[in-house]
Amino acid sequence: MSESYLELTRESHPAGTGELAVVKVTGELDLSNAEELTAAMAREALEAGLIVDLAELSFMDSSGLRVLMLAASDRGARLALVAEPDSPVRRVLDLAGLTDRIATFPARGAAADAVEQAGE
Amino acid sequence: MTETEAESSEIELDLPVEPSSVTIARRAVRELSEQLGAPGEDVALAVSEAVGNAVVHAFRHREAGTISVTAAPRRDMLVVTVADDGTGMIPGAESPGLGVGLSLISQVSNDVRVQSSERGTTVSMSFPLGEQEGAAE
């Protein structure tokens, strides 16, 4: 298998009176498959909140960063990321300065709170 | 694609200009780096960026060629090179994303050198050896 393993799962997280869309990303994200994440996020309504859960992602390079940045430019504060502290993916986010531009949390609960507040 | 491993402590890969080459190169060099005690996560990120840059930028105005990746220990460092036979870096050319990749490489490697001419671009990166837990004796 030459392409990176990547699994994208549509989940939801309870928030307020409803629920927020969660795209859970598992595996490795690079040039060979970054567009799959673009497509998965594009299936979610722009005006709704969206959490991208990277906690199970073992590798990401700038191809993934680019996809997340484009999503953030469309969705603003209605997009939040979940990444484990001290994880390789969190480190890449920090190195690229992305955590200054997209709210990033260690767990879905805090991410959901931030996205909900942005939508109020 | 030709793919050879001259010795267990060295890697030589000649890869086609396509996105899957990023994955192939990263996995191979990461495995070697971890055997030798180099920081596998840093090496993986740097290789992914360098090969990705070559795939996206090096052959934008010409027929796709080859991306060559080598990795070998040299004294107390792992030296990794990613070379392409593309157009070289063109000053002022439209090249979205190029700066992000090189910035990441420079942050995770001890040293990065870029040589570019009309015959292609070579990125040489070095990483410390023997500092990681679990390094092979």
Side-chain angles (χ1 to χ4, degrees):
Chain A
M1 184 178 70
S2 57
E3 289 189 355
S4 282
Y5 163 70
L6 183 70
E7 185 175 332
L8 300 163
T9 311
R10 168 60 156 85
E11 299 181 353
S12 60
H13 187 89
T17 56
E19 57 184 28
L20 284 170
V22 177
V23 175
K24 181 181 177 183
V25 190
T26 304
E28 298 179 313
L29 190 59
D30 66 16
L31 187 64
S32 72
N33 56 25
E35 287 308 310
E36 294 180 35
L37 178 56
T38 300
M41 291 189 291
R43 286 193 281 272
E44 306 301 332
L46 261 185
E47 63 274 13
L50 176 62
I51 296 170
V52 178
D53 189 340
L54 306 173
E56 300 294 323
L57 187 64
S58 60
F59 177 84
M60 178 172 69
D61 66 11
S62 64
S63 302
L65 296 172
R66 199 168 296 120
V67 166
L68 293 172
M69 278 303 304
L70 289 171
S73 67
D74 290 338
R75 296 174 180 273
R78 295 185 304 282
L79 173 70
L81 307 179
V82 175
E84 299 272 358
D86 302 324
S87 66
V89 167
R90 172 69 197 225
R91 180 163 179 255
V92 173
L93 291 168
D94 287 334
L95 286 172
L98 216 69
T99 46
D100 295 334
R101 303 173 71 174
I102 308 177
T104 305
F105 301 92
R108 288 187 188 184
D113 291 344
V115 167
E116 265 210 312
Q117 287 175 11
E120 289 175 354
Chain B
M1 177 181 73
T2 63
E3 183 173 328
T4 60
E5 291 192 19
E7 297 177 17
S8 61
S9 62
E10 296 186 4
I11 283 177
E12 292 182 21
L13 299 171
D14 286 334
L15 299 166
V17 182
E18 58 187 38
S20 62
S21 292
V22 172
T23 312
I24 294 168
R26 181 177 71 247
R27 287 179 178 164
V29 180
R30 179 177 196 150
E31 185 176 345
L32 175 67
S33 70
E34 291 177 344
Q35 286 173 7
L36 297 173
E41 288 174 10
D42 290 347
V43 174
L45 179 60
V47 169
S48 211
E49 296 300 336
V51 177
N53 272 343
V55 171
V56 175
H57 302 291
F59 301 93
R60 299 179 75 196
H61 304 294
R62 64 191 288 178
E63 186 178 347
T66 301
I67 300 169
S68 301
V69 179
T70 67
R74 190 177 302 163
R75 292 188 288 277
D76 57 348
M77 304 296 285
L78 175 68
V79 178
V80 182
T81 65
V82 175
D84 65 65
D85 51 0
T87 55
M89 291 183 175
I90 303 170
E94 182 189 357
S95 52
L98 187 60
V100 177
L102 287 176
S103 171
L104 288 174
I105 293 170
S106 67
Q107 290 183 77
V108 299
S109 63
N110 273 40
D111 183 55
V112 57
R113 299 177 188 199
V114 180
Q115 293 180 302
S116 186
S117 73
E118 61 188 17
R119 288 181 296 178
T121 299
T122 299
V123 179
S124 301
M125 308 167 281
S126 59
F127 304 86
L129 282 178
E131 295 185 352
Q132 305 299 304
E133 290 183 8
E137 295 292 332

